[in-house]
Amino acid sequence: MGKIMAVCISEKKGTQKKDIKECELIENFGLKNDAHGGNWHRQVSLLSYEKIEDFKAKGVQVVDGDFGENLVVSGIDLSSLPVGTKLTVNDALLEVTQIGKECHHHCQIYHAVGDCIMPREGIFVRVIKGGNVKTGDEISVLK
């Protein structure tokens, strides 16, 4: 079981996401008002809180959403979850669709420090069943 540490969206693609603390997960779309939502396989991105903290320990100042992540999750090794894994947060049901990603146009973090953890550590899910998500909520891996 893990914990939601941040809920982030951006209104336009190519911009950093901002932590809005709470949002609606919409079935077959993603987070309400997020520019990356839509009927595709990368509706919501998740990144490990612990991996972000490791990155910060290198002396890099980042805030939630800087890597383009929608949900910051503590307590689950996200990058080890296989595609097809189901996750629950409150009434919402999510399914892992992709581990990591190839960055064609490096983000602002990469250009500033020469590295970004999202391509290695981030995962993507689609929303099978909608619901609300907020900072502090529990998130679980279904067995």
Side-chain angles (χ1 to χ4, degrees):
M1 186 174 314
K3 183 176 180 181
I4 302 292
M5 305 299 287
V7 179
C8 307
I9 66 168
S10 60
E11 293 178 8
K12 292 187 347 183
K13 289 185 178 183
T15 62
Q16 292 170 303
K17 295 185 184 296
K18 303 287 184 216
D19 185 3
I20 59 168
K21 311 293 186 212
E22 183 173 2
C23 196
E24 180 184 358
L25 286 158
I26 300 172
E27 186 175 323
N28 294 317
F29 178 82
L31 286 168
K32 184 176 183 177
N33 297 322
D34 184 55
H36 291 89
N39 188 14
W40 70 316
H41 70 288
R42 292 190 344 210
Q43 295 173 348
V44 179
S45 59
L46 287 73
L47 192 58
S48 165
Y49 171 81
E50 290 79 9
K51 299 295 182 179
I52 296 170
E53 291 301 306
D54 290 346
F55 195 80
K56 286 180 181 178
K58 297 176 185 177
V60 182
Q61 295 298 314
V62 295
V63 296
D64 295 325
D66 279 355
F67 294 106
E69 73 279 13
N70 290 120
L71 302 178
V72 177
V73 176
S74 178
I76 298 175
D77 183 4
L78 298 172
S79 63
S80 72
L81 299 176
V83 169
T85 301
K86 304 268 191 319
L87 302 163
T88 59
V89 57
N90 299 320
D91 293 333
L93 179 62
L94 312 172
E95 180 182 26
V96 176
T97 56
Q98 184 174 325
I99 310 298
K101 70 176 232 173
E102 183 178 347
C103 286
H104 299 288
H105 307 287
H106 293 296
C107 65
Q108 293 173 349
I109 295 293
Y110 183 89
H111 288 295
V113 300
D115 190 22
C116 177
I117 58 176
M118 191 64 177
R120 298 185 303 276
E121 304 293 342
I123 70 167
F124 298 88
V125 300
R126 67 183 182 96
V127 181
I128 296 173
K129 180 182 177 210
N132 289 317
V133 60
K134 68 182 180 308
T135 302
D137 284 346
E138 291 182 354
I139 182 168
S140 300
V141 177
L142 292 182
K143 300 288 182 192

